[in-house]
Amino acid sequence: MPTEWTNWSGSLCFTPNTIAVPADEDELVAIVRHAALAGRTVRVVGAGHSSTPLVETSDLLVSLEQFSGVLEHNTAARTATVGAGTRLHALGKQLHAVELALENLGDVDVQAIAGAIGTGIHGSGKTLKILSSQLVGLRMVTASGELVEWTEQEQPEELRAARVALGTLGIFTTVTLQLQPAFQLHRREWCAHVEDALDHLEQLVEQNRNFDFYWYPRSDEAKLRTMNSPEARQPDLAFARLLDEQAGWSHEIIPKQRTLRFDEMEYALPADAGPACFRDIRQRVKAKWRRSVGWRLLYRTSAADDSFLSTNYERSSVTISLHQNNSLPYQAYFADLEPILRAYGGRPHWGKKHTLLAAELRPLYPCWEQFQHIRQRLDPQGLLLNTYLRDLFGIDQEALR
Amino acid sequence: MTHGASGRTTWAIPGGHIPLASTGHEPTFVSCDKLCVLNTSATDAQLALTIYYSDRDAVGPYPLSVAARRVRHLRLNDLIEPEAMPLEVPYACVVLSSVPVVVQFSRRDSGQAATAITGGIAFPAAE
């Protein structure tokens, strides 16, 4: 019997015809081959943390929850092969057990690794790339039901496409990650007036391994977060009040536990444009949205990469994200702010709310066509597409037949 | 001499209305409705706020805590869990506490350059 599916925030809700939970690759291959023969479509879901309708389908939804855990590791080479459905929280613990760690994590760690890679999630830190950049190999079931293995050495162009692919090249079963030796961080949280934070923004970004800040629109205060090696000298911030500090292993220190559900829109901007864009956003929020928006905006940084659909493709980025409680309307708020983020050359986070489709997205991504070519070669019939993805990529339904 | 638990476990503030406009440096002069909660007991107070509106269902609980023998001041503007309260909307607030506390309510309206502050004790409701 069809079961309703709801994403993490509750803003995405649909009823697939079938939810399949394959136990292994053989079962997944059989499911995909059967779907291909029957002319069905398939979407794959990880933790359901995205709030764009990437996984929405009235047909077949495949869950990767059985594909979990660290399968192989090489401590000397700093690599590990893990199940594609492994949640980041569990992954951090399991990697730590073999003395390895992800280079960075986002603000939360509830996502599945394949979904996190596929949508380009990231943490904050000027020299740190988005999580997808750690992908150096994968196994996946393609739309034809073929089991394919790619490595960075053997298929470098394909890997650049696979690193942010929204689950449209194939269904990942394992991913191989380039990691770091397990490391510790000292996290400090500060409260400051946002003007003081902006006055010191450049040095905060430059002097800390990880730095981000939340701005609270109803008080004009900011919560600053810095993370560095415990051995690193960390001067106090004269303009800020220390709220909390904690030291420990990276997978325990970087993400925070959050029970509050929210909807979010995030754009990645050229790094140099970040401060000016934030000032425009702040002005607009204070002028128009304080009546109904009480929650915060998040300002982060991350390094450039070369993945075709990465929001950081060939440019270091500042990301600005807007939050709204999931029980409150977000549409008008996000729609009012989105033009400001776009005016600064912003690229929307693939898994968070935005309104862009192919016509607006194509000019933002110099390797858009290379990606589409690889996708089309692997899935010419569009088995792995839904209505939203066809619109997102500008693919005519008739052309798939 | 130590002071035992003072106050009540249920308080009501019927006249809530967070002003929208502010003048002056923030947060010092931001318009706000504020709760001050005094817990003189030797036990941490676990508070649950419920916000009532004139035209929609109540929202809550908003969980808060006040440590034993401490006072906590908070702007209602800043509450976000379970959701941010709308500004410039009439509301009422009921505070339930796990131990007796004293609740004071005040409003700062800096919408005009001449700052205005009003204040008063919350209503200690029957238990």
Side-chain angles (χ1 to χ4, degrees), chain B residues 58-121:
Chain B
V59 177
Y62 289 78
L64 296 167
S65 62
V66 183
R69 306 182 63 77
R70 293 289 188 275
V71 64
R72 182 171 176 183
H73 293 193
L74 64 101
R75 292 184 296 257
L76 289 156
N77 317 29
D78 294 340
L79 296 178
I80 49 97
E81 187 170 2
E83 67 180 39
M85 293 169 58
L87 307 187
E88 215 174 30
V89 165
Y91 72 91
C93 175
V94 170
V95 180
L96 299 180
S97 175
S98 58
V99 298
V101 293
V102 178
V103 176
Q104 186 180 4
F105 172 78
S106 63
R107 173 172 303 137
R108 175 171 56 228
D109 186 345
S110 65
Q112 302 292 324
T115 303
I117 298 178
T118 61
I121 194 81

Side-chain angles (χ1 to χ4, degrees), chain A residues 274-289:
Chain A
C277 182
F278 176 78
R279 287 184 186 279
D280 283 358
I281 293 281
R282 174 179 167 226
Q283 184 178 35
R284 182 69 175 174
V285 171
K286 288 187 74 171
K288 187 170 179 184
W289 291 103

Side-chain angles (χ1 to χ4, degrees), chain A residues 365-378:
Chain A
Y365 290 94
C367 291
W368 179 267
E369 294 304 333
Q370 287 98 312
F371 177 85
Q372 298 302 340
H373 177 73
I374 292 172
R375 191 213 63 75
Q376 205 275 338
R377 174 162 57 84
L378 287 163

Side-chain angles (χ1 to χ4, degrees), chain A residues 246-306:
Chain A
Q246 195 179 0
W249 296 103
S250 59
H251 67 285
E252 298 169 335
I253 292 297
I254 300 176
K256 298 279 273 189
Q257 297 284 338
R258 300 206 185 284
T259 56
L260 194 57
R261 295 290 196 265
F262 55 86
D263 283 303
E264 183 176 3
M265 180 170 72
E266 177 182 285
Y267 270 70
L269 319 156
D272 292 348
C277 182
F278 176 78
R279 287 184 186 279
D280 283 358
I281 293 281
R282 174 179 167 226
Q283 184 178 35
R284 182 69 175 174
V285 171
K286 288 187 74 171
K288 187 170 179 184
W289 291 103
R290 288 219 291 193
R291 185 192 307 266
S292 56
V293 174
W295 214 19
R296 56 202 186 182
L297 284 79
L298 175 59
Y299 186 104
R300 295 188 282 181
T301 59
S302 48
D305 62 54
D306 65 354

Side-chain angles (χ1 to χ4, degrees), chain A residues 227-245:
Chain A
M227 283 180 271
N228 293 288
S229 165
E231 289 80 36
R233 181 177 170 274
Q234 294 182 70
D236 287 341
L237 305 180
F239 59 91
R241 176 167 50 94
L242 185 64
L243 301 174
D244 190 26
E245 61 184 325

Side-chain angles (χ1 to χ4, degrees), chain A residues 2-13:
Chain A
T3 304
E4 190 174 76
W5 185 93
T6 304
N7 74 330
W8 174 84
S9 74
S11 66
L12 183 63
C13 189

